[in-house]
Amino acid sequence: MPKINQTIQTTPSFRVLSENQIEMIYSAALDVIQSTGARFHHEEALELFKNSEAVVTDGNLVRVPLSLVEKAIKCHPRKINLTGRTGKYKIKLEKDVVNFGTGSDLPFTYDRETGERRRTNYNDVVNAARIVDFLPNLDFFMSHGIVQDVPNPQVYDRHQFMAMLKGCTKPMVLTCVDGDGLKDLWKMASLFRGGEKEYRLEPLFVTYIEPISPLKNDKTAVEKLLFSAEKGIPCMYTPCPSSGATAPATMAGMLVQSLSETMMASVLTYLKNPGMPLIMGGVTTVLDMITTTYSYGAPELSLASAANTDISKWLGLPMFSTGGCTDSKVLDEQAAIESATSNFYAYLSGASLVHDVGYIDSGVNASLESLVMNDEIIGMIRQMGKGINTEDEYLALELIDKIGPGGEYLTSEHTLTHYKNWFQPRLQDRSDYETWVREGQKTMNDRIREETDRILKEHQPEPIDDKIQKELEQIIDAAEKRHSK
Amino acid sequence: MSEKLGKIADGLLHGKIDEVGELTQELINDGMDPEEILQKGLFAGMDVVGKKFRDCEMFIPEVLRSAKAMHAAMEKLRPVLSEESSSKAGTVIMVTVQGDLHDIGKNLAGMMMEGAGFNVIDMGIDRKTEDIVEMVKKEKPQILGLSALLTTTMPKMGEVINALKEAGIRDQVKVIVGGAPVTDDFAQEIGADAYAPNASIGTEKALELVKG
Ligand code: B1M
């Protein structure tokens, strides 16, 4: 007979902040927006504010009454769907659906042949794209490296997008130089859907935009925001405060400030064109007080990001979080520890996009091997997230009785069915000592390197159709021409 | 009076901003040689701070409080220093080049230099090459500190150095460059005088360069 009054927890359940604490942070953020305000270095934005209930003083200091803030923040869609260029990969950005992906724009790369650190180039981005296209646990792609071997740095973003598209068919998050850059990227992406309106139904990328903490919004960031609002391009306004330097040294204070910055952007886009798909975010970390490094391996980064995710879920906005990254200069034990713990925490928090997977050297250096290592880590983490099924088949009472004291389960049909749901490592070694010696005493690092080589040798993504390829190149050529004047 | 020197050094160590400023003024009023205040009070105190920082006994927030105290003392001392002493604690212009909005590293490096006794003029972020050259002409600093965090704005550092040459003032100022994507090789390529991978090395290099 089925029972009544049962609560079944199908997955682990995790949160950092209680609802009351979220309300405290939200309420404090409203006060910041209403009393302290934020600066906007952009004419149109200031006009939009002046023509609303907001108050502009001191040239560019904007304060907004909380009634307007609360109206604006409710206007963003609760979910965003993204589709890769071929339609094969689709992801949903909504509460508690966790997608993992890379970060962007790393100036350096370890050359896989010479082992030397050198500047990242176009081909490095194509290779990172191919790796991400292959890896089963990476769901979206940011450029990983920054393309530097281009004629004009002012249009690097178009070339970079091209390199990304070449190597990867998964949905993307894109950085860009300015509003003009975003426009080109959006035009390029629209080609895969056959039109602007069609593109809106199936966007391929999210734009990455950042305020300057504390509470400043520069011209190019605002340009991108306004263009995104106009065209309904999904976009994240993701503060990068360093606790203790550009934000309070307390996690709560940093969260209050970050939320104010995001909600200010919400108000601006509401005034421009309500309803822009907005993703909350923040690389909310600490400035290491010995080295002055903006830390990508600090536990505070994970703690604050998970708390931020609690806030985002309460507000009904998707969340851009951080994991899989490290301050270590190489792919060593430190890298593995920091990657694993940050991925796990971000996963449990239920953030929509967990980015920066594969960053080493505090966001300065790129490692393809790190992507491969993290794929395995994320596989394990997703397994731990599956929770425990307690239906009859799973309690296995009948089976236990049938096998009885002293029996064995290896040959039972139940085992044959259910062991397939376990995590099977692709790279971790579980063999016995003798076998390990016979097979060459390989370390995890050796196996990661071999797997990276294999993917680069074997995996080719579906090519871009010739006609679209030409049109993409035309957009890039036109940008080059405009900027060479 | 020498007791007050000890108190200055101790005040610096403990980041007592007001106290260090006041004690410096008192010593000036007492008629002590400004050079002695600088060497035996301020530099002596900051040497200990530097050592404790290197040994991880002091952290950045403490070091910057000490630097602020140093700054407060130098405000009082600079007007009465001899020309020779004041060039040892000369002027530095710190600026982030055009197109670049990153300033945390530049600000930190600037504060550390204040801690070493320099008079730091902060030109802020995203500053045009012409403006930087104008400022160098106007303020005649011993050191120009350029910061760039983007591969796309790094070339602007070379542009500034070339513009200094064109203006005929390249030999009047030493240029230090810094920022995450900058390397020693790059600094040499563009003809900078020094590369600073972090704020403390930046300060060390600045001190070396003014010593000549
Ligand atoms: C004598 O003179 C001297 C001496 C020493 C000097 C010196 C001058 N200058 C520096 N030093 C040296 O001493 C300092 C202290 O020890 C050190 O300074 P640092 O500045 O290196 O160190 C600081 C104390 C801590 N470090 C930092 O503060 C920088 C951290 C990272 C994460 C970073 C941050 C925080 C920010 N960012 Co930016 N940002 C990144 C950075 C990644 C990284 N690890 O560097 C980097 C630099 N950013 C990048 C990007 C892509 C961008 N950022 C952007 C914006 C921002 C924020 C505004 C959000 C914020 C800066 C806030 C601020 N007030 O500065 C955008 C560009 C805006 C612009 N036009 O400038 C944007 C383009 C993103 C976008 N598309 O919108 C990447 C570089 C890409 C490239 N082209 O090279 C990046 C490496 C991160 C990444 N991997 O994506 C030394 O370098």
Coordinates of all heavy atoms in Angstrom, one line a residue, chain B residues 1-16 19-28 32 36-38 40-46 69-70 73 77:
Chain B
M1 N 64.4 64.1 21.2 CA 63.9 64.1 19.8 C 64.0 62.7 19.2 O 63.2 62.3 18.4 CB 64.7 65.1 19.0 CG 64.2 66.5 19.3 SD 64.7 67.7 17.9 CE 66.4 67.9 18.2
S2 N 65.1 62.0 19.5 CA 65.3 60.7 18.9 C 64.2 59.7 19.3 O 63.9 58.8 18.6 CB 66.7 60.2 19.1 OG 66.8 59.9 20.5
E3 N 63.7 60.0 20.5 CA 62.6 59.1 20.9 C 61.4 59.3 20.0 O 60.7 58.3 19.6 CB 62.2 59.6 22.3 CG 61.2 58.6 23.1 CD 60.7 59.3 24.3 OE1 61.5 60.0 25.0 OE2 59.5 59.1 24.6
K4 N 61.2 60.5 19.5 CA 60.1 60.7 18.5 C 60.4 60.0 17.2 O 59.4 59.5 16.6 CB 59.9 62.2 18.3 CG 59.2 62.9 19.4 CD 58.8 64.4 19.1 CE 58.3 65.1 20.3 NZ 58.3 66.5 20.1
L5 N 61.7 59.9 16.8 CA 62.0 59.2 15.6 C 61.6 57.7 15.7 O 61.0 57.1 14.8 CB 63.5 59.3 15.4 CG 64.0 60.5 14.7 CD1 65.5 60.4 14.5 CD2 63.4 60.8 13.3
G6 N 61.9 57.2 16.9 CA 61.5 55.8 17.2 C 60.0 55.6 17.1 O 59.4 54.7 16.6
K7 N 59.3 56.6 17.7 CA 57.8 56.6 17.6 C 57.3 56.7 16.2 O 56.3 56.0 15.9 CB 57.2 57.8 18.4 CG 57.0 57.4 19.9 CD 56.1 58.5 20.5 CE 55.8 58.2 22.0 NZ 55.3 59.4 22.6
I8 N 57.9 57.5 15.4 CA 57.5 57.5 14.0 C 57.7 56.2 13.3 O 56.7 55.7 12.6 CB 58.4 58.6 13.2 CG1 58.0 60.0 13.6 CG2 58.2 58.4 11.7 CD1 58.6 61.1 12.8
A9 N 58.8 55.6 13.5 CA 59.1 54.2 12.9 C 58.0 53.3 13.4 O 57.4 52.5 12.6 CB 60.5 53.8 13.2
D10 N 57.7 53.3 14.6 CA 56.7 52.4 15.2 C 55.3 52.7 14.7 O 54.5 51.8 14.4 CB 56.8 52.5 16.7 CG 56.1 51.4 17.4 OD1 56.5 50.2 17.1 OD2 55.1 51.6 18.1
G11 N 55.0 54.0 14.6 CA 53.7 54.4 14.1 C 53.5 54.0 12.7 O 52.4 53.5 12.3
L12 N 54.6 54.0 11.9 CA 54.5 53.5 10.5 C 54.1 52.1 10.5 O 53.3 51.6 9.7 CB 55.8 53.7 9.8 CG 56.1 55.1 9.2 CD1 57.5 55.2 8.7 CD2 55.1 55.5 8.1
L13 N 54.8 51.3 11.3 CA 54.6 49.9 11.3 C 53.2 49.5 11.7 O 52.6 48.6 11.2 CB 55.6 49.3 12.4 CG 55.8 47.8 12.4 CD1 56.4 47.4 11.0 CD2 56.8 47.4 13.5
H14 N 52.6 50.4 12.6 CA 51.2 50.1 13.0 C 50.2 50.9 12.3 O 49.0 50.9 12.7 CB 51.1 50.2 14.5 CG 51.9 49.2 15.3 ND1 53.2 49.5 15.7 CD2 51.7 47.9 15.5 CE1 53.7 48.4 16.3 NE2 52.8 47.4 16.2
G15 N 50.6 51.5 11.2 CA 49.7 52.3 10.3 C 48.9 53.4 11.0 O 47.8 53.6 10.7
K16 N 49.6 54.1 12.0 CA 49.0 55.2 12.7 C 49.2 56.5 11.9 O 50.1 57.2 12.0 CB 49.6 55.3 14.1 CG 49.2 54.1 14.9 CD 49.7 54.3 16.4 CE 49.4 53.1 17.2 NZ 50.3 52.9 18.3
E19 N 49.0 60.0 13.7 CA 50.1 60.2 14.7 C 51.5 60.4 13.9 O 52.3 61.3 14.3 CB 50.2 58.9 15.5 CG 51.1 59.0 16.7 CD 51.2 57.7 17.5 OE1 50.1 57.2 17.8 OE2 52.3 57.3 17.7
V20 N 51.7 59.7 12.9 CA 53.0 59.8 12.1 C 53.1 61.2 11.5 O 54.1 61.8 11.6 CB 53.1 58.7 11.1 CG1 54.3 58.9 10.2 CG2 53.2 57.3 11.7
G21 N 52.0 61.7 11.0 CA 52.0 63.0 10.4 C 52.3 64.1 11.4 O 53.1 64.9 11.2
E22 N 51.6 63.9 12.6 CA 51.8 64.9 13.6 C 53.2 64.9 14.2 O 53.9 66.0 14.4 CB 50.8 64.7 14.8 CG 49.4 65.1 14.5 CD 48.4 64.4 15.3 OE1 48.7 63.8 16.4 OE2 47.2 64.4 14.9
L23 N 53.7 63.7 14.4 CA 55.1 63.6 15.0 C 56.1 64.2 14.0 O 57.1 64.9 14.4 CB 55.5 62.1 15.2 CG 54.9 61.5 16.5 CD1 55.0 60.0 16.4 CD2 55.6 62.1 17.7
T24 N 55.9 64.0 12.7 CA 56.8 64.5 11.7 C 56.8 66.1 11.8 O 57.9 66.7 11.8 CB 56.4 64.1 10.3 OG1 56.3 62.7 10.3 CG2 57.4 64.5 9.2
Q25 N 55.6 66.6 11.9 CA 55.5 68.1 12.0 C 56.2 68.6 13.2 O 56.9 69.6 13.2 CB 54.0 68.5 12.0 CG 53.8 70.0 11.9 CD 54.4 70.6 10.6 OE1 54.1 70.1 9.5 NE2 55.2 71.6 10.7
E26 N 56.0 67.9 14.4 CA 56.6 68.3 15.6 C 58.2 68.3 15.5 O 58.8 69.3 15.9 CB 56.3 67.3 16.7 CG 54.9 67.6 17.3 CD 54.5 66.5 18.3 OE1 55.4 65.9 19.0 OE2 53.3 66.2 18.4
L27 N 58.7 67.3 14.8 CA 60.2 67.2 14.7 C 60.7 68.4 13.8 O 61.7 68.9 14.0 CB 60.6 65.9 14.1 CG 60.6 64.7 15.2 CD1 61.0 63.4 14.5 CD2 61.6 65.0 16.3
I28 N 59.9 68.7 12.7 CA 60.3 69.8 11.9 C 60.3 71.1 12.7 O 61.2 71.9 12.7 CB 59.3 69.9 10.7 CG1 59.4 68.7 9.8 CG2 59.7 71.2 9.9 CD1 58.3 68.6 8.7
M32 N 64.7 69.6 13.8 CA 65.5 68.5 13.4 C 65.8 68.5 11.9 O 65.0 69.0 11.1 CB 64.9 67.2 13.8 CG 65.8 66.0 13.5 SD 64.9 64.4 13.8 CE 65.4 64.1 15.4
E36 N 67.4 63.7 8.4 CA 67.5 62.8 9.5 C 66.1 62.2 9.8 O 66.0 61.0 10.0 CB 68.1 63.5 10.7 CG 68.5 62.4 11.8 CD 69.1 63.1 13.0 OE1 69.5 64.3 12.9 OE2 69.2 62.4 14.1
I37 N 65.1 63.0 9.7 CA 63.7 62.5 9.9 C 63.4 61.5 8.8 O 62.9 60.4 9.1 CB 62.7 63.7 9.8 CG1 63.0 64.8 10.8 CG2 61.3 63.1 10.1 CD1 62.1 66.0 10.7
L38 N 63.8 61.8 7.6 CA 63.5 60.9 6.5 C 64.2 59.6 6.7 O 63.6 58.5 6.6 CB 64.0 61.6 5.2 CG 63.7 60.8 3.9 CD1 62.2 60.7 3.6 CD2 64.3 61.6 2.7
K40 N 66.2 58.3 9.4 CA 66.1 57.5 10.7 C 64.7 57.3 11.2 O 64.5 56.4 12.0 CB 67.0 58.3 11.7 CG 68.4 58.3 11.3 CD 69.3 58.7 12.5 CE 70.8 58.7 12.1 NZ 71.5 59.7 12.9
G41 N 63.8 58.1 10.7 CA 62.4 57.9 11.1 C 61.6 57.1 10.1 O 61.3 55.9 10.2
L42 N 61.4 57.8 9.0 CA 60.5 57.2 8.0 C 61.1 56.0 7.2 O 60.4 55.0 7.2 CB 60.1 58.3 7.0 CG 59.4 59.5 7.6 CD1 59.2 60.7 6.6 CD2 58.0 59.1 8.2
F43 N 62.2 56.2 6.6 CA 62.8 55.0 5.9 C 63.1 53.9 6.8 O 62.8 52.7 6.4 CB 64.1 55.4 5.1 CG 63.8 56.2 3.8 CD1 64.8 57.0 3.2 CD2 62.5 56.3 3.3 CE1 64.5 57.7 2.0 CE2 62.2 57.0 2.1 CZ 63.3 57.7 1.5
A44 N 63.5 54.2 8.0 CA 63.8 53.1 9.0 C 62.5 52.3 9.2 O 62.5 51.1 9.2 CB 64.4 53.7 10.3
G45 N 61.4 53.0 9.4 CA 60.2 52.4 9.7 C 59.7 51.6 8.5 O 59.3 50.4 8.6
M46 N 59.8 52.2 7.3 CA 59.3 51.5 6.1 C 60.2 50.3 5.8 O 59.7 49.3 5.2 CB 59.1 52.4 4.9 CG 58.0 53.4 5.1 SD 56.4 52.6 5.5 CE 55.8 52.0 4.0
A69 N 50.4 56.3 6.1 CA 51.1 57.1 7.1 C 52.3 57.8 6.6 O 52.6 58.9 6.9 CB 51.4 56.1 8.3
M70 N 53.1 57.0 5.7 CA 54.3 57.5 5.1 C 53.9 58.8 4.3 O 54.6 59.8 4.3 CB 54.9 56.4 4.2 CG 56.1 56.9 3.5 SD 57.5 57.0 4.6 CE 58.8 57.4 3.5
A73 N 53.3 61.8 6.3 CA 54.5 62.4 6.8 C 55.2 63.1 5.7 O 55.7 64.2 5.9 CB 55.4 61.3 7.3
L77 N 57.0 66.8 5.1 CA 58.4 66.9 5.0 C 58.9 67.4 3.6 O 59.9 68.1 3.6 CB 59.0 65.5 5.2 CG 60.4 65.3 5.6 CD1 60.6 66.1 7.0 CD2 60.8 63.9 5.8

